[in-house]
Amino acid sequence: MFHKARIKLTVFYLAIIMLISISFSMVIYGGSITELNRIEQTQRFRRPPAPFLPGIEPDIIQETKGRIVFALALINLIILGVSGTAGYFLAGKTLNPISEMLEDQKKFVSDASHELRTPLTSIKTEIEVALRSKELDLKETKNLLSSNLEEVNKMQKLTNYLLELNKFQSGSGKLSFSRVNLKDIVEKAIKQIEKPAEAKNIKITKKLQNATVNGNEESLIQLAVILLDNAIKYSSQGKEIIVKTGKGTTTGFMEFKDSGVGIKKEDLPHIFERFYRADTSRSKERVDGYGLGLSIADGIAKLNNGSIKVESKPGHGSTFTVRI
Ligand code: ADP
């Protein structure tokens, strides 16, 4: 599909260049012929002809015209060849980002459909098995429904993630900015993750200093919740999370330090990619997730003119630093 588009674009570029080149050639040819005729006329009407300037023979004029046409045709052919090659190269350059974007989009759709298909298949299978059973009692029905509800919750979480991803990653959404204090942002985020932290008996230590920056409050809280949620998810029972906020030289920062499973060096460059999940199969607990949280967090940081940096040591923990 892109090869065809590239050829079309090349032809389009060529048509424009050749149109200009042929128009110029015609102007040059017209000018040269007028000049030749003028010289010939001047010579013919000069009486008596100057002895040192004999009249120009018509066959010489004809030959000169032929030479001009040949030279112009040759120049146009060279322009056609050079601009054809350059046009093909430029068309490739123009179409490359679009082609990459489409590939990326295709991968995203396929990953998202795959993630949605898993819970859907599970729900379908459970319902089919239940329908085939002749003696389905109330207890079994309730079990089936609660299992289905669990899968539906997973799908709901995934669709919410996808919508957020669309909102924060496409770069299309402009956020409304105001002066916000990162200390308040983190306090609000901690309130939202108190329950899962308590459930794992994880202590959150706050070392918060005022840091007022220009940003979008709602999205920054969401960013802090994602990083705190991960810190809890990837830490075992009873561990500690240290959260800091403060002022850098030109920016404000939020830091989330956990002493959980950590991230392997080879996974670090990929963790912000959509649907990327580092292999945690060696850790004792299976951690639920879709690999979308950090790409949303990264999108939020960028929309707030900020960045996220991560340092991690497997087995010792990770530190995520957000600068706004
Ligand atoms: P999810 O947590 O749903 O898998 P994320 O995009 O939030 O998706 O994270 C991507 C991957 O980065 C995770 O699968 C995990 O392997 C790794 N990761 C993120 N945060 C942490 C953390 N605090 N500690 C260890 N690994 C982490």
Side-chain angles (χ1 to χ4, degrees):
M1 172 192 158
F2 270 91
H3 186 66
K4 254 189 180 170
R6 190 175 182 177
I7 301 279
K8 264 191 196 167
L9 202 58
T10 310
V11 171
F12 190 65
Y13 284 156
L14 258 186
I16 295 174
I17 294 170
M18 289 321 293
L19 191 78
I20 297 170
S21 172
I22 289 171
S23 310
F24 266 112
S25 303
M26 280 162 73
V27 171
I28 292 171
Y29 180 75
S32 310
I33 297 303
T34 316
E35 202 53 28
L36 265 181
N37 288 340
R38 194 187 62 79
I39 294 171
E40 201 235 356
Q41 298 276 318
T42 320
Q43 294 282 29
R44 195 174 317 143
F45 293 112
R46 186 165 284 196
R47 294 271 181 259
F52 49 87
L53 255 181
I56 299 173
E57 301 295 330
D59 57 331
I60 294 183
I61 301 249
Q62 224 30 56
E63 193 195 318
T64 312
K65 281 182 187 173
R67 277 167 173 277
I68 292 172
V69 171
F70 178 73
L72 287 175
L74 192 68
I75 289 170
N76 273 292
L77 261 178
I78 293 171
I79 290 177
L80 183 77
V82 173
S83 51
T85 318
Y88 188 70
F89 174 75
L90 280 179
K93 281 243 161 224
T94 314
L95 290 173
N96 246 356
I98 304 169
S99 147
E100 276 167 17
M101 214 170 75
L102 262 181
E103 273 308 309
D104 193 42
Q105 201 72 16
K106 255 163 78 178
K107 186 176 176 298
F108 174 67
V109 172
S110 123
D111 286 343
S113 330
H114 181 79
E115 291 294 343
L116 279 170
R117 202 170 53 184
T118 315
L120 271 176
T121 313
S122 163
I123 293 175
K124 189 171 174 252
T125 318
E126 281 178 354
I127 294 175
E128 277 170 356
V129 171
L131 282 177
R132 257 185 261 128
S133 156
K134 293 221 166 72
E135 61 270 352
L136 190 70
D137 60 24
L138 187 66
K139 193 172 165 241
E140 280 171 328
T141 314
K142 277 195 170 173
N143 280 347
L144 168 80
L145 285 177
S146 71
S147 164
N148 283 354
L149 188 65
E150 214 174 282
E151 298 298 338
V152 170
N153 282 340
K154 276 188 196 167
M155 283 198 288
Q156 193 181 32
K157 196 168 175 194
L158 177 59
T159 45
N160 285 344
Y161 263 147
L162 292 175
L163 285 173
E164 275 167 23
L165 200 62
N166 193 35
K167 187 165 141 201
F168 293 123
Q169 248 212 348
S170 60
S172 54
K174 270 254 168 260
L175 301 175
S176 57
F177 281 10
S178 58
R179 298 293 287 165
V180 288
N181 192 340
L182 295 180
K183 185 181 172 198
D184 301 335
I185 299 277
V186 167
E187 294 274 18
K188 286 178 185 167
I190 290 175
K191 278 214 167 69
Q192 292 190 30
I193 50 87
E194 260 166 2
K195 272 194 186 152
E198 270 167 26
K200 278 182 97 173
N201 196 22
I202 285 175
K203 183 174 173 247
I204 298 178
T205 304
K206 296 188 262 182
K207 297 184 177 173
L208 307 178
Q209 288 180 355
N210 288 321
T212 309
V213 296
N214 249 347
N216 175 270
E217 185 180 13
E218 193 196 334
S219 67
L220 287 174
I221 295 174
Q222 208 166 340
L223 163 57
V225 168
I226 291 172
L227 296 182
L228 281 166
D229 192 42
N230 277 352
I232 297 167
K233 266 190 343 190
Y234 298 103
S235 293
S236 44
Q237 293 273 345
K239 294 274 183 184
E240 184 187 17
I241 296 171
I242 302 169
V243 189
K244 288 184 192 168
T245 58
K247 266 194 182 308
T249 38
T250 54
T251 52
F253 73 87
M254 305 190 265
E255 187 187 281
F256 306 85
K257 182 175 165 53
D258 66 60
S259 39
V261 292
I263 305 163
K264 279 185 271 168
K265 212 173 158 201
E266 59 265 34
D267 288 318
L268 276 177
H270 304 291
I271 55 171
F272 292 98
E273 288 169 15
R274 291 179 307 200
F275 292 108
Y276 189 85
R277 302 207 72 210
D279 180 18
T280 47
S281 52
R282 263 175 289 153
S283 66
K284 276 173 263 156
E285 304 148 52
R286 214 187 81 80
V287 183
D288 273 340
Y290 294 104
L292 291 174
L294 285 184
S295 40
I296 295 171
D298 190 45
I300 294 177
K302 284 186 180 134
L303 281 177
N304 281 280
N305 303 320
S307 62
I308 307 181
K309 207 184 76 192
V310 53
E311 276 171 21
S312 188
K313 219 171 157 195
H316 289 85
S318 316
T319 306
F320 285 82
T321 312
V322 182
R323 288 185 195 284
I324 303 289

